[in-house]
Amino acid sequence: MKRRILTALVMAAVLVPLLFLPSLAFSGALLVVLLIASAELFALLRNAYQIPKAAFLYPAGAGGVLYGSWVAFHQQWLDPSILFVTIGIVLLIGLLLITSVRGFHFGAFGEVFAGSLYLSLAFAALSFIHMQGLLVLVYLLLLTLLTDTFAYFSGLAFGRRKLAPAISPKKTIEGAVGGTLIAVTAASAFGFLLGMDLSSSPVVFLAIGVVVSVAAQLGDLVASAIKRFYQVKDFSRLFPGHGGVLDRFDSTLLAALVLTLILVGGGV
């Protein structure tokens, strides 16, 4: 427990200052984290399919190029047609690797490409949210952190019915509901008090919080399903007592992607 707390304090000391960086510097920092996350995901696939280590150049390059393209698109530096061409080129390179890299068969390629596409989108979503203002990013982080924390404590106190026993046996429906209710209440109060304008309607604002909180829990379950499938406890040991980047940010990544879709949709 002491190690977990110490690691959490060190992580906070490193990560919190990053939130105050200018948009492009923040996007650059996210690129580094994206590459680490890509390495964690590739390590699972490499062990499962006996793919050579050098093949990591593909998911690293694909993730970096796609992420950069999404960010450039958000900044209105890149035409949408160029973005689609970039995705197509990354896809074609992967298909060529199937014929030349041992172990990199179609199934492995599909998992690597899907993982690279998801991670690049999710991290680009974090970059986009940062561009909307620090308050919006803090709102997202607060919402995901409180959802995770109070889902755990609500589950301990009231948990009876299993949420997804085949994936994460300790999670309960009561915990999930309690985590969402408390997190949405606290994060929405934060937003209202500081004048966030995600929506002119308080009801819609609360609804956004519920959707993002549910997405955070889904992201956690998806990460748990991946680890269970590959029979590992954590994605890596980067953070002692906490696992790796994907263990710490599994909830945040999907929540960021969903919040970005809501903001871009403009229907709020």
Side-chain angles (χ1 to χ4, degrees):
M1 180 61 72
K2 289 182 179 179
R3 185 174 65 169
R4 284 180 61 86
I5 294 173
L6 179 61
T7 301
L9 291 174
V10 172
M11 288 169 60
V14 172
L15 294 177
V16 170
L18 296 180
L19 303 181
F20 297 91
L21 290 174
S23 292
L24 287 181
F26 181 77
S27 296
L30 282 182
L31 175 59
V32 175
V33 182
L34 165 63
L35 293 177
I36 297 172
S38 297
E40 292 177 349
L41 188 58
F42 179 74
L44 296 183
L45 300 176
R46 182 173 64 83
N47 293 332
Y49 296 113
Q50 301 301 308
I51 305 172
K53 290 183 179 180
F56 172 63
L57 292 175
Y58 176 71
V65 169
L66 291 173
Y67 169 76
S69 299
W70 297 122
V71 172
F73 177 69
H74 291 158
Q75 294 278 9
Q76 297 183 335
W77 297 340
L78 194 67
D79 187 88
S81 61
I82 303 300
L83 180 60
F84 284 111
V85 169
T86 302
I87 296 173
I89 291 173
V90 169
L91 179 62
L92 287 174
I93 291 173
L95 291 173
L96 288 173
L97 290 176
I98 294 175
T99 64
S100 57
V101 177
R102 174 179 54 82
F104 204 76
H105 51 70
F106 192 78
F109 158 70
E111 292 178 42
V112 170
F113 181 77
S116 298
L117 186 61
Y118 170 69
L119 290 177
S120 65
L121 275 169
F123 277 96
L126 279 172
S127 175
F128 174 80
I129 291 170
H130 185 270
M131 293 176 195
Q132 309 312 303
L134 180 60
L135 283 182
V136 183
L137 180 59
V138 173
Y139 165 80
L140 169 70
L141 297 176
L142 187 64
L143 191 55
T144 55
L145 176 63
L146 293 178
T147 296
D148 183 58
T149 301
F150 286 101
Y152 173 75
F153 286 113
S154 297
L156 283 181
F158 308 108
R160 295 293 183 273
R161 293 168 293 177
K162 300 297 183 182
L163 178 64
I167 298 174
S168 188
K170 294 183 179 180
K171 287 183 171 59
T172 64
I173 294 175
E174 292 81 4
V177 173
T180 292
L181 289 177
I182 296 173
V184 170
T185 300
S188 298
F190 165 84
F192 283 130
L193 289 174
L194 295 181
M196 281 180 58
D197 58 352
L198 287 184
S199 173
S200 58
S201 167
V203 175
V204 174
F205 191 97
L206 289 170
I208 292 173
V210 171
V211 171
V212 174
S213 176
V214 171
Q217 297 192 60
L218 180 59
D220 187 19
L221 286 173
V222 169
S224 296
I226 292 172
K227 288 186 286 186
R228 184 169 289 273
F229 179 80
Y230 287 104
Q231 299 181 342
V232 296
K233 182 178 183 294
D234 297 312
F235 283 100
S236 78
R237 299 179 181 177
L238 181 63
F239 306 119
H242 288 266
V245 167
L246 291 174
D247 295 291
R248 288 301 88 206
F249 296 99
D250 50 5
S251 300
T252 305
L253 292 176
L254 187 56
L257 190 52
V258 169
L259 180 58
T260 296
L261 290 174
I262 293 172
L263 295 175
V264 172
V268 298

